[in-house]
Amino acid sequence: MRSFTYERATDTRAAVAAVAQPGARFISGGTNLLDLMKLDIEYPSHLVDISRLPLREIEELPDGGLRIGAQARNSDVAADPRVRTRYPALSEALVSGASGQLRNKASTGGNLMQRTRCPYFYDTAAGCNKRNPGSGCAAIGGFNRIHAILGASESCIATHPSDMAVAMTALDAEIELLRADGSVRRVAITDFYRLPGDTPHIETVLGDDEMITGVLLPPPLPGRQVYRKVRDRASYEFALVSVAAVVSADRGTIREARVAFGGVAHKPWRSVEAEDALTDRPATMDTYRAAAEAALRGAVGRGHNDFKIELAKRTLCRTLAQAAGAS
Amino acid sequence: MIGQAVNRVDGPLKATGRAAYAYEHWEAGQPLYGFIVGATIGKGRITRIDTEEARNAPGVHLVMTHLNAPAQGPRDESIPFEYWRAQPVLTGPDIHFYGEPVALVVAETFEQARDAGDLVEVEYRVGRGRFDFGEFEDDVYIPKTVNAGLPTDTAVGDFDAGFAGAEVKVDQQYTTPYEFSMPIEPNACMAAPRGEDLVVYVSCQITDAARDSVASTLMMDPERVHIVTPFVGGGFGSKLGIHSETILAALAARALGRPVKVTLTRQQVFQLVGMRPTSSQRVRLGAGRDGRLAAIAHDVTMHTNPDVEYAEQTAATVRSLYAAPHRLTSHRLTALDLPRGSDVRAPGEAPGMLSVESAMDELADVLGMDPVELRIRNEPTVDPERNVPYSDRHLVECLREGAHRFGWENRPATPASVREGRWLVGYGVSAAIRGHFQGPTTVRVRLEPDGTAVIQTDMTDIGTGTYTILTQVGAEGLGLPLERVRIDLGRSDHPSSWGSGGSWGATNSSTAVYRACMALRTKLLDAARGDTRSPLHGRDPADAVFSDGTVAIGDASEALSEIVARHHPDGVEAEGQTRFMGDDPNYSDYSINTYGAHFAEVGVDADTAEIRLRRMLGVFSVGRLFNPKTARSQLIGGMIWGVGAALEEEAVVDPRSGAFVNRDFAGYLVPVHGDIPADIEAVVLEGYDDKANVLGAKGIGEVGICGSGAAVANAVFNATGVRVRDFPITLEKLLPGLPAMVG
């Protein structure tokens, strides 16, 4: 039997030091890690429980932004009045994810670190380069309806399952990382996640001696924010495609926009191409369609997921129309 | 009492966690825990199996494989109902389907057993499996009969001529996927040796079948096998028989002389209990311009496991549904190296009505006719294939009442014509029919000297409400308050029944309880009337009234407890029975069914094709109801299942390995609360079917799912103008047919 040791961290820096030992992992809400341990996909020898660290606060930043502590629960972030009024896309994204029970447990940092829902990742008898590097990708040539259409590789076509991270990507969030030596670095969320390449088991730039301590949201772009999630049932289901959009429009012309997709890639997919196609363009369906074509230009279907390309375009168009409408 | 909306009598036990399920029982000391190791190939042969490391792992007591498994009785095909047959496991090195048990590891804890299971080394010679239904769909054979002993093919009139001559035709192909029963409680068992006997706590639907199956597999005297299953966390067909978890627990318990528990993981439930076969269905309807059907044909091809044939009666439903002079039905099977097909709620009707009732909607569309009216126009006067009268058919009333209540007149007459904001809105209707069955059941009712009644039968309560309705029937039968009736279910040492399944459990056991109560009444009256000490001495029994624990004749009365105490100081009992339907002339002289009509309104997102149910209504005719509350739960549960079948449920096979890819509830979607609007209702027409049984009641466990998916599918067509014939209707199948996006 795989036994493991457990400690409850009371000090942030000590927690970072504790996780540096081989085989150690952080645990917070455990909504993903415990499943993965039961299914023999992850088998840490030591768990450092960081859920009680003093990282639960949501604080104002001097520049008018917000700092969300890494241990703030998803349900608390979603319900925070400052988040709801200034970053409604984030609140909508959080509420659209998982279930009430899971959101009460899940932490902000844990949500960022959750792993793919690819069924072959969960099947220890199947080849999966992410779970077992070098064993191949059973999803390629297999049942790949929920898989990536952008940025995938021949090693891995898995998607990142988070809704929250998609909204944060459109909101230009930065991830705050603490090292054991006490130093802190900030990484833009788009740089935090990696594309699969030939090392799909390495999903982020987080170092072995680092811990996520918070997420920094800059003051929001003026304009309307929308998070739209498309899924096979009304609740408790991961996105087939989701779109987070922030659009600044002025008298029928889009001045600036932020666009991120979920469910389409190994990471929340920021589309600078779509944003460029929107800037200084009239707020019309033709513009949205052009932005959608730009965003999906490199998209590749794998068979079952071919439909996601058109679905992503249509979802983006409608989301942009909503975000640009009557603002 | 019968017909009252009584709350579940076992509700408090369940709500407080005191109802013990199979895996929670505890007897004869600390149990051991077994874990099943499954094959990781879909077809082939074990060439080497090394259990040494597993046997030496901490806490491990036993590793059983085909090399050391005890001899077991063979599957005896001459036993008419498969659930009573032996279910041998670990019988040899051949692998027949992905996940098939190759070893059982028994250890002190579940975790130790599971971990040691990883240490069992198995090498295979991989064979060429047949896994892909589409690839082998045309390589079929004709089964001797289909499920429930129904004929494989039927023909009435001259279908080819009738269809060729029809003014209007529909000829379409529909497909339905692999689906699972998936009750919340996975299949689980604890087997405990007691001397030469074996007590088997198992989650099952038919106690009697479980006993025979365990006994014949382990080659034991059935008298020495004691099944205990007082509470079952859902079955839906998947627990009609027992499975490898029970046989392996029993074998290990006997080998070790200790209680052994085995449960399936959720993923294993997708591999080891069987599923609704995938199907390809051709439906042909030929009609006149007035909508009257001249010809109906339903031809079905399904998968079967090559070793355990299962032929779902998918084309049988249409045999009794609509009038038409020329008719054809057929069932064909293609053998695939997949888990066996098995009964999943409403076998036959659920997938069959999805296609037939979609085809009826297609016909209505071609005719430009109201689909409710089309169905009414084809109402038969006698069962068109059996040529016998219906016992109590009210399909037309269900359709009319439903149309009225639902506001069917507001249905968009033209598909894809109503848009509310982002939603394309549509209405759909479907008929429902489900055969009613009767099986042999014996119940013992015992009246104690304190005036309480105890009802004993091996009948199960799989969450349906058996405890509650038998309490009601017993209370009414003996004139007792509800709290003085105690129900003792799920023990094979009690009189035997056909258990729960096929929607027969409630009527079988209630009828038997009622008869036992009538026999007890006679005994009590005979005793009192012949007893000079009784106030009822010499009175006419025809005038007896049993109520509130007393029996009164005219102005004289006596408490039941006094009669029992005086004449039967140890209590008095009587048995009541229900007989096999084949021995009851009503079931050959009449076509006895339940009926319904489903109405659904859906919204389809005009941009993304997401489908959301907006409201739904089912109107049913099921004879007399025992309990409107438990009945409503069952009917609505069935309707919701139909919504899932139409829109979500699908188990996907990876044709490279033969494994189900989405074998958990994250990947195998069923409706959640968010999918089901508050505006969903089941209405039951007043009724009494005097041909069904003495209580006038019929089964309700499955009619709710029959046709409900088709109503949703037809509403999707009405909303979008896109007909999807490949179930479930997921959004990618609608997307190409959606309107272009504007402003």
Side-chain angles (χ1 to χ4, degrees):
Chain A
M1 191 161 61
R2 295 189 201 277
S3 49
F4 59 88
T5 49
Y6 168 91
E7 71 173 282
R8 180 182 294 170
T10 52
D11 176 80
T12 304
R13 274 183 65 182
V16 183
V19 88
Q21 64 178 283
R25 290 287 311 269
F26 289 126
I27 186 167
S28 182
T31 59
N32 191 205
L33 182 61
L34 292 178
D35 279 350
L36 295 169
M37 288 170 68
K38 289 174 189 172
L39 295 168
D40 222 17
I41 293 160
E42 297 213 27
Y43 22 87
S45 55
H46 183 63
L47 289 181
V48 182
D49 183 348
I50 53 175
S51 64
R52 289 169 176 79
L53 291 178
L55 296 170
R56 289 203 172 203
E57 297 303 311
I58 301 172
E59 301 159 315
E60 297 280 353
L61 292 174
D63 66 354
L66 277 186
R67 180 184 182 281
I68 298 169
Q71 294 309 314
R73 303 290 116 177
N74 286 179
S75 46
D76 292 338
V77 178
D80 186 277
R82 294 162 294 183
V83 173
R84 289 177 61 177
T85 52
R86 282 149 57 186
Y87 305 96
L90 176 57
S91 184
E92 288 167 24
L94 280 162
V95 170
S96 75
S99 66
Q101 296 92 325
L102 289 169
R103 293 194 293 270
N104 286 340
K105 286 294 287 181
S107 67
T108 303
N111 188 317
L112 290 169
M113 295 300 293
Q114 67 180 302
R115 309 203 66 191
T116 186
R117 295 287 161 170
C118 171
Y120 297 100
F121 175 70
Y122 281 84
D123 179 357
T124 53
C128 175
N129 291 319
K130 182 183 284 297
R131 173 172 34 75
N132 184 15
S135 64
C137 174
I140 296 175
F143 181 59
N144 48 42
R145 184 171 178 269
I146 67 168
H147 290 77
I149 51 174
L150 288 166
S153 72
E154 292 310 303
S155 291
C156 180
I157 59 171
T159 56
H160 194 268
S162 174
D163 293 296
M164 180 194 81
V166 176
M168 286 178 171
T169 299
L171 295 169
D172 293 314
E174 288 184 313
I175 315 295
E176 182 186 86
L177 305 175
L178 173 71
R179 287 210 179 87
D181 64 9
S183 64
V184 172
R185 65 170 177 146
R186 292 177 179 182
V187 181
I189 188 167
T190 48
D191 298 328
F192 180 73
Y193 291 109
R194 296 164 50 110
L195 286 175
D198 53 10
T199 54
H201 58 293
I202 305 172
E203 296 170 350
T204 68
V205 299
L206 185 73
D208 289 341
D209 61 343
E210 286 183 308
M211 179 169 72
I212 301 171
T213 48
V215 174
L216 304 161
L217 296 175
L221 206 62
R224 187 176 289 184
Q225 304 174 11
V226 177
Y227 185 75
R228 174 75 166 94
K229 180 175 182 179
V230 180
R231 46 182 157 181
D232 280 315
R233 62 182 173 191
S235 176
Y236 199 45
E237 171 63 342
F238 296 94
L240 289 168
V241 165
S242 69
V243 173
V246 188
V247 177
S248 273
D250 176 25
R251 282 165 297 177
T253 300
I254 295 168
R255 295 300 170 207
E256 201 175 352
R258 296 283 183 278
V259 171
F261 289 94
V264 297
H266 197 254
K267 58 189 275 189
W269 188 263
R270 172 86 177 263
S271 181
V272 177
E273 296 83 355
E275 294 169 8
D276 288 347
L278 293 165
T279 305
D280 297 328
R281 303 288 300 167
T284 63
M285 190 53 77
D286 285 345
T287 298
Y288 309 146
R289 191 74 204 181
E293 295 299 336
L296 277 298
R297 191 154 290 137
V300 177
R302 298 281 174 166
H304 303 100
N305 67 350
D306 292 349
F307 73 96
K308 278 189 172 187
I309 298 173
E310 178 62 16
L311 182 63
K313 290 177 185 174
R314 291 179 73 101
T315 308
L316 178 62
C317 288
R318 182 56 61 205
T319 309
L320 291 171
Q322 272 180 271
S327 59
Chain B
M1 297 296 174
I2 295 176
Q4 300 297 306
V6 173
N7 286 339
R8 287 176 188 266
V9 297
D10 53 335
L13 278 182
K14 288 183 175 174
T16 57
R18 285 176 293 154
Y21 291 81
Y23 205 66
E24 301 170 335
H25 287 281
W26 192 273
E27 87 155 35
Q30 171 79 29
L32 298 171
Y33 293 82
F35 188 83
I36 295 172
V37 180
T40 53
I41 64 166
K43 174 78 175 173
R45 196 176 172 87
I46 298 170
T47 52
R48 189 180 75 90
I49 188 159
D50 183 348
T51 61
E52 190 183 346
E53 207 183 337
R55 277 186 283 123
N56 292 330
V60 171
H61 284 241
L62 173 69
V63 181
M64 190 184 290
T65 71
H66 71 279
L67 298 173
N68 63 346
Q72 297 158 67
R75 187 183 291 277
D76 181 354
E77 305 280 338
S78 72
I79 296 171
F81 296 103
E82 63 163 306
Y83 303 117
W84 277 259
R85 295 174 193 158
Q87 307 286 344
V89 291
L90 301 178
T91 51
D94 290 328
I95 300 303
H96 307 84
F97 60 90
Y98 194 99
E100 180 175 0
V102 296
L104 176 77
V105 179
V106 182
E108 302 274 337
T109 69
F110 173 82
E111 288 78 11
Q112 286 176 329
R114 182 178 56 180
D115 196 60
D118 276 350
L119 304 175
V120 176
E121 282 181 45
V122 190
E123 288 173 15
Y124 301 97
R125 188 171 65 239
V126 180
R128 245 184 83 113
R130 291 164 52 117
F131 302 130
D132 184 8
F133 180 75
E135 186 182 348
F136 297 102
E137 188 181 338
D138 298 326
D139 181 16
V140 298
Y141 72 93
I142 307 175
K144 283 199 188 72
T145 63
V146 297
N147 199 23
L150 295 167
T152 303
D153 295 356
T154 59
V156 174
D158 182 345
F159 174 80
D160 288 340
F163 187 66
E167 292 172 306
V168 179
K169 298 186 181 76
V170 168
D171 181 354
Q172 293 294 355
Q173 202 81 25
Y174 303 85
T175 54
T176 63
Y178 301 104
E179 294 170 349
F180 284 87
S181 294
M182 283 298 144
I184 288 289
E185 181 200 24
N187 304 72
C189 176
M190 180 175 86
R194 191 188 287 164
E196 288 298 300
D197 291 15
L198 188 67
V199 184
V200 184
Y201 302 88
V202 54
S203 185
C204 69
Q205 295 177 229
I206 310 176
T207 311
D208 191 56
R211 178 184 53 191
D212 281 16
S213 193
V214 169
S216 54
T217 311
L218 272 70
M219 298 187 287
M220 293 176 65
D221 177 355
E223 295 296 311
R224 293 203 171 276
V225 176
H226 309 278
I227 305 292
V228 184
T229 181
F231 294 102
V232 178
F236 310 114
S238 68
K239 296 172 183 172
L240 287 164
I242 50 136
H243 302 279
S244 49
E245 78 292 330
T246 303
I247 297 304
L248 288 168
L251 290 171
R254 298 264 287 175
L256 295 167
R258 300 246 328 243
V260 174
K261 292 185 173 186
V262 181
T263 184
L264 301 185
T265 65
R266 181 61 64 189
Q267 288 83 354
Q268 287 174 331
V269 180
F270 279 89
Q271 297 167 327
L272 298 181
V273 307
M275 68 289 194
R276 192 191 301 286
T278 192
S279 74
S280 174
Q281 308 179 36
R282 183 184 187 192
V283 181
R284 284 172 288 173
L285 304 174
R289 297 221 176 273
D290 62 356
R292 280 180 215 287
L293 288 166
I296 303 177
H298 192 187
D299 301 297
V300 181
T301 302
M302 295 166 289
H303 107 281
T304 183
N305 176 282
D307 303 300
V308 187
E309 181 181 283
Y310 178 80
E312 187 167 8
Q313 64 272 44
T314 300
T317 308
V318 77
R319 293 172 184 167
S320 298
L321 185 52
Y322 295 119
H326 308 293
R327 323 173 63 91
L328 210 59
T329 66
S330 74
H331 298 84
R332 299 292 179 268
L333 299 177
T334 183
L336 299 183
D337 300 304
L338 295 176
R340 52 155 307 168
S342 190
D343 288 323
V344 175
R345 199 176 193 182
E349 288 91 352
M353 298 203 78
L354 212 43
S355 57
V356 168
E357 286 297 283
S358 290
M360 284 295 280
D361 201 64
E362 301 209 41
L363 179 62
D365 185 56
V366 175
L367 289 163
M369 184 179 283
D370 181 340
V372 170
E373 178 57 29
L374 174 67
R375 287 171 172 86
I376 291 172
R377 205 160 283 190
N378 288 288
E379 175 71 1
T381 50
V382 297
D383 188 301
E385 300 216 4
R386 291 175 56 198
N387 206 26
V388 295
Y390 291 99
S391 63
D392 190 45
R393 180 176 165 119
H394 298 290
L395 176 57
V396 170
E397 288 90 328
C398 291
L399 286 162
R400 290 219 162 100
E401 178 69 19
H404 172 68
R405 286 174 180 256
F406 196 72
W408 183 249
E409 67 276 11
N410 298 321
R411 166 181 174 264
T414 309
S417 63
V418 172
R419 182 161 181 166
E420 293 176 11
R422 60 186 259 220
W423 298 103
L424 305 170
V425 180
Y427 284 27
V429 66
S430 170
I433 184 171
R434 160 85 192 165
H436 173 72
F437 302 101
Q438 180 175 291
T441 291
T442 303
V443 166
R444 180 165 55 229
V445 179
R446 178 178 177 80
L447 199 53
E448 303 289 358
D450 65 358
T452 58
V454 180
I455 296 177
Q456 294 180 317
T457 164
D458 77 355
M459 171 67 186
T460 48
D461 187 331
I462 59 171
T464 47
T466 311
Y467 282 102
T468 308
I469 62 163
L470 294 191
T471 302
Q472 294 174 260
V473 175
E476 179 154 320
L478 292 173
L480 293 174
L482 292 171
E483 59 275 14
R484 283 167 70 181
V485 179
R486 189 167 68 79
I487 311 296
D488 186 1
L489 299 181
R491 289 178 179 273
S492 61
D493 297 338
H494 291 339
S496 72
S497 76
W498 262 21
S500 302
S503 300
W504 58 59
T507 50
N508 284 343
S509 53
S510 294
T511 303
V513 166
Y514 179 81
R515 292 200 170 114
C517 290
M518 293 306 114
L520 260 188
R521 283 186 179 210
T522 303
K523 283 190 184 184
L524 295 167
L525 281 172
D526 287 350
R529 286 170 52 243
D531 180 354
T532 53
R533 293 167 292 179
S534 170
L536 305 175
H537 178 69
R539 301 253 177 169
D540 182 357
D543 299 331
V545 175
F546 287 73
S547 73
D548 206 23
T550 66
V551 52
I553 303 177
D555 55 1
S557 71
E558 184 167 29
L560 299 184
S561 56
E562 288 174 30
I563 304 175
V564 176
R566 203 160 57 240
H567 294 274
H568 305 280
D570 299 324
V572 57
E573 59 189 39
E575 287 192 345
Q577 290 182 329
T578 312
R579 56 186 167 159
F580 176 55
M581 58 195 286
D583 301 326
D584 185 333
N586 276 359
Y587 284 81
S588 48
D589 296 346
Y590 295 92
S591 180
I592 306 179
N593 308 284
T594 53
Y595 307 92
H598 298 275
F599 296 82
E601 178 185 333
V602 303
V604 179
D605 188 296
D607 303 318
T608 63
E610 291 163 289
I611 305 166
R612 298 292 180 256
L613 184 69
R614 290 156 67 106
R615 62 194 182 102
M616 194 167 188
L617 169 70
V619 177
F620 302 96
S621 168
V622 295
R624 183 188 188 191
L625 277 191
F626 293 112
N627 182 326
K629 206 170 207 173
T630 55
R632 179 178 179 276
S633 295
Q634 286 225 64
L635 291 167
I636 286 185
M639 290 163 65
I640 291 171
W641 195 323
V643 177
L647 303 180
E648 295 175 9
E649 276 191 66
E650 177 176 23
V652 177
V653 171
D654 189 322
R656 300 168 301 181
S657 63
F660 284 110
V661 180
N662 52 339
R663 51 180 188 265
D664 61 28
F665 280 146
Y668 183 84
L669 300 190
V670 299
V672 294
H673 277 93
D675 294 306
I676 304 302
D679 190 357
I680 182 167
E681 196 48 81
V683 172
V684 177
L685 302 180
E686 287 272 316
Y688 187 95
D689 190 333
D690 65 350
K691 306 298 185 296
N693 49 59
V694 66
L695 297 174
K698 292 185 284 195
I700 55 165
E702 287 156 294
V703 69
I705 183 176
C706 301
S708 62
V712 174
N714 295 338
V716 170
F717 172 76
N718 186 240
T720 62
V722 180
R723 179 72 65 179
V724 177
R725 303 182 182 90
D726 175 30
F727 293 100
I729 307 173
T730 45
L731 58 80
E732 65 265 40
K733 298 169 189 173
L734 285 179
L735 210 51
L738 290 187
M741 293 179 71
V742 286

